[in-house]
Amino acid sequence: MEGKVEHKFDMKPHEQNLEEYGRLCRERTNKSMIKNRQIRVIDNDRGVHMRPMPGMVGLISSNTKEKKKTTPIKQPEMKRTRRDRGELEDIMFKLFERQPNWALKQLVQETDQPAQFLKEILNELCVYNKRGSNQGTYELKPEYKKSVDDTAAE
């Protein structure tokens, strides 16, 4: 950034108010240094307020590592087996005839294929919509749309 200073403006307090201004600055500094927290001593309480409620005993864990170990890792119920590539492409074309835009999760449910395998095929056949009203969905590439329209007309 380049520029030229044409007018300079420096400001100082009046000679009359110089002492008052200094006092004001000191007051501000002292006020900011004062801690406004207070400590109260509770007499004869015996920790009643600090005890956990009867239903809360199992929920609060003192050690977070123990909590992480006990949480079971969710795995797929059964592994999906890959179909023949040509057969899956035919299924995909039929699905895109039914509906123009599909999310990956929907396609995994419809085809019952592994997500990674589906992604490989989708990268060849489809365009991924990153923004807009169909964000996060796949849509057939224009060259495949024409062939789908031609086969539907026949």
Side-chain angles (χ1 to χ4, degrees):
M1 191 169 178
E2 291 184 24
K4 183 178 177 184
V5 177
E6 291 185 18
H7 301 287
K8 187 177 175 187
F9 181 75
D10 288 331
M11 195 170 111
K12 294 181 183 177
H14 284 289
E15 296 289 328
Q16 306 161 351
N17 297 334
L18 192 60
E19 289 178 23
E20 189 179 329
Y21 180 72
R23 187 178 48 78
L24 179 68
C25 289
R26 278 191 298 279
E27 281 178 17
R28 281 186 196 158
T29 307
N30 290 338
K31 210 175 206 181
S32 68
M33 293 165 119
I34 296 172
K35 304 258 190 286
N36 53 2
R37 288 184 231 141
Q38 295 180 357
I39 298 172
R40 281 192 303 176
V41 178
I42 303 173
D43 296 331
N44 299 327
D45 189 34
R46 297 187 201 133
V48 173
H49 297 292
M50 300 298 286
R51 291 186 189 138
M53 295 295 198
M56 302 290 284
V57 174
L59 295 177
I60 301 169
S61 174
S62 60
N63 192 353
T64 55
K65 290 180 184 175
E66 290 175 10
K67 192 175 187 179
K68 288 180 184 175
K69 288 179 185 176
T70 56
T71 311
I73 298 169
K74 202 174 192 180
Q75 291 184 352
E77 295 167 10
M78 56 183 254
K79 289 196 173 191
R80 297 181 164 96
T81 54
R82 288 185 175 196
R83 283 191 174 152
D84 180 44
R85 196 174 196 87
E87 185 184 336
L88 185 59
E89 285 178 3
D90 291 339
I91 293 170
M92 298 293 283
F93 285 128
K94 287 177 185 173
L95 287 173
F96 279 101
E97 282 176 14
R98 228 173 60 194
Q99 181 179 323
N101 295 302
W102 289 86
L104 181 65
K105 283 184 179 181
Q106 291 174 320
L107 289 169
V108 168
Q109 287 176 345
E110 289 285 327
T111 59
D112 197 35
Q113 295 297 300
Q116 194 60 42
F117 182 52
L118 264 178
K119 279 184 187 177
E120 290 173 18
I121 293 175
L122 286 169
N123 286 336
E124 293 173 15
L125 302 177
C126 300
V127 177
Y128 182 70
N129 296 317
K130 293 182 181 174
R131 48 179 86 110
S133 59
N134 298 320
Q135 183 179 5
T137 60
Y138 287 92
E139 182 178 358
L140 277 179
K141 288 182 179 176
E143 58 264 24
Y144 294 116
K145 279 185 183 178
K146 291 175 186 171
S147 66
V148 169
D149 292 339
D150 294 343
T151 55
E154 294 172 358

